[in-house]
Amino acid sequence: MLISAILQIWNTVQANPSLIEIASDSDTYTPTTEVQKQENEVNHLLNSNANPEQVKEEIFKLASLKYDCCTYDDRPQKTAKLHEILGSSEQMNILDIGLLQLTVSRIAVSHFCTVTLKFINGVTIKQTIERGRKS
């Protein structure tokens, strides 16, 4: 039943690749007030006759603060890779472990009989397994 649910999710995504689309947030740099304060400090030191070692130390501190404010989102590249793989493969009738390792980062099974595939771009698709009742 588990393999059947995984195959069903995979084949559904392959038939409808728009299911794995994500809203793309562009890479951003948003400076904090701490960065602005450090920039002012560096500018003040550069305009004064400060110790060069102290100026260098403050510039490195500013660079570190700026770096911490940067974000990078690689989900669009991973989505493109998924589309490429989906386009070059056929529907699965038997489980292809290698293909799953390339495209799926996590498989979860809940105690409510729900199988969830988390693809490498962060999109999750769920499938509920129908259970038969035992007498």
Side-chain angles (χ1 to χ4, degrees):
M1 290 184 345
L2 175 62
I3 292 173
S4 174
I6 293 170
L7 289 173
Q8 188 172 2
I9 293 171
W10 174 263
N11 290 331
T12 300
V13 169
Q14 187 173 32
N16 190 3
S18 64
L19 292 173
I20 58 169
E21 290 297 323
I22 54 165
S24 178
D25 293 336
S26 61
D27 302 335
T28 58
Y29 167 72
T30 308
T32 62
T33 56
E34 189 176 356
V35 169
Q36 293 169 345
K37 288 178 185 177
Q38 187 64 26
E39 283 177 339
N40 290 339
E41 176 68 24
V42 167
N43 287 333
H44 175 72
L45 289 173
L46 289 173
N47 292 330
S48 67
N49 290 333
N51 178 358
E53 287 300 315
Q54 181 186 6
V55 173
K56 182 171 73 172
E57 183 178 316
E58 294 300 320
I59 289 173
F60 284 135
K61 183 178 177 183
L62 174 61
S64 175
L65 289 172
K66 284 185 173 184
Y67 182 79
D68 291 341
C69 293
C70 294
T71 60
Y72 176 74
D73 186 10
D74 64 347
R75 292 180 304 164
Q77 292 85 352
K78 289 180 178 179
T79 302
K81 180 180 177 182
L82 282 171
H83 282 290
E84 181 183 320
I85 292 170
L86 287 168
S88 65
S89 62
E90 296 182 16
Q91 283 198 331
M92 274 197 259
N93 294 324
I94 58 172
L95 201 58
D96 184 345
I97 300 299
L99 193 56
L100 284 178
Q101 287 176 334
L102 285 174
T103 57
V104 176
S105 62
R106 182 179 193 181
I107 298 173
V109 181
S110 76
H111 62 282
F112 296 113
C113 298
T114 301
V115 177
T116 304
L117 263 62
K118 183 175 183 180
F119 289 86
I120 58 173
N121 66 345
V123 173
T124 57
I125 309 278
K126 297 180 181 183
Q127 176 69 34
T128 303
I129 300 172
E130 295 293 327
R131 288 193 313 185
R133 289 188 158 196
K134 293 185 178 180
S135 299

